């Protein structure tokens, strides 16, 4: 945001924003919401659920930390069943071929 914008931007009130932007501004602050608008203006943005991000991180963790014999340890660390850990490792192995 340029200096000339900052004067009038300060006059924007959260309560005058559309509801969807109001929620964002209340969550991350007006300045960050305006930065998002500047960067993503007129783009459709899909925000995945937190559970999807966690699932992907757990899969990557299992793949990166598998030693060949630590299946049960990976189960304890991720909360996944032994069969699911095996499935993740099998899928990763099939994708690398």
């Amino acid at each position: 945001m340029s200096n000339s914008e900052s004067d009038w931007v300060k006059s924007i009130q959260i309560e005058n924003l559309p509801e969807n932007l109001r929620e964002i501004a209340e969550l991350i602050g007006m300045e960050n919401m305006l930065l998002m608008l500047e960067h993503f203006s007129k783009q459709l943005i899909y925000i995945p659920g937190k559970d999807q991000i966690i699932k992907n991180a757990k899969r990557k963790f299992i793949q990166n930390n598998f030693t060949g014999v630590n299946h049960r340890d990976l189960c304890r660390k991720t909360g996944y069943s032994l069969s699911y850990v095996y499935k993740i490792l099998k899928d990763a192995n099939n994708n690398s071929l």
Side-chain angles (χ1 to χ4, degrees):
M1 196 170 358
S2 69
N3 285 339
S4 62
E5 286 181 345
S6 64
D7 293 335
W8 62 265
V9 165
K10 291 176 186 174
S11 69
I12 298 172
Q13 301 296 313
I14 288 179
E15 54 272 5
N16 296 331
L17 294 171
E19 187 175 345
N20 60 336
L21 295 180
R22 191 177 321 135
E23 282 187 70
I24 294 170
E26 288 170 350
L27 184 64
I28 66 173
M30 181 67 84
E31 187 174 338
N32 287 327
M33 190 268 310
L34 291 170
L35 285 172
M36 284 183 54
L37 290 177
E38 187 176 316
H39 187 78
F40 297 109
S41 184
K42 299 180 184 168
Q43 295 182 43
L44 181 62
I45 298 173
Y46 168 75
I47 300 174
K50 183 178 169 184
D51 56 330
Q52 185 63 41
I53 302 301
I54 290 170
K55 180 181 176 183
N56 291 341
K58 284 182 177 184
R59 291 179 72 82
K60 193 58 101 174
F61 176 82
I62 289 168
Q63 293 166 6
N64 291 340
N65 291 283
F66 180 58
T67 64
V69 294
N70 64 336
H71 298 82
R72 293 186 189 284
D73 185 46
L74 294 171
C75 290
R76 281 189 290 279
K77 289 181 177 177
T78 61
Y80 285 157
S81 67
L82 186 59
S83 61
Y84 195 61
V85 168
Y86 276 110
K87 180 183 179 336
I88 290 169
L89 293 169
K90 180 182 176 189
D91 291 348
N93 189 40
N94 288 341
N95 289 336
S96 67
L97 297 177

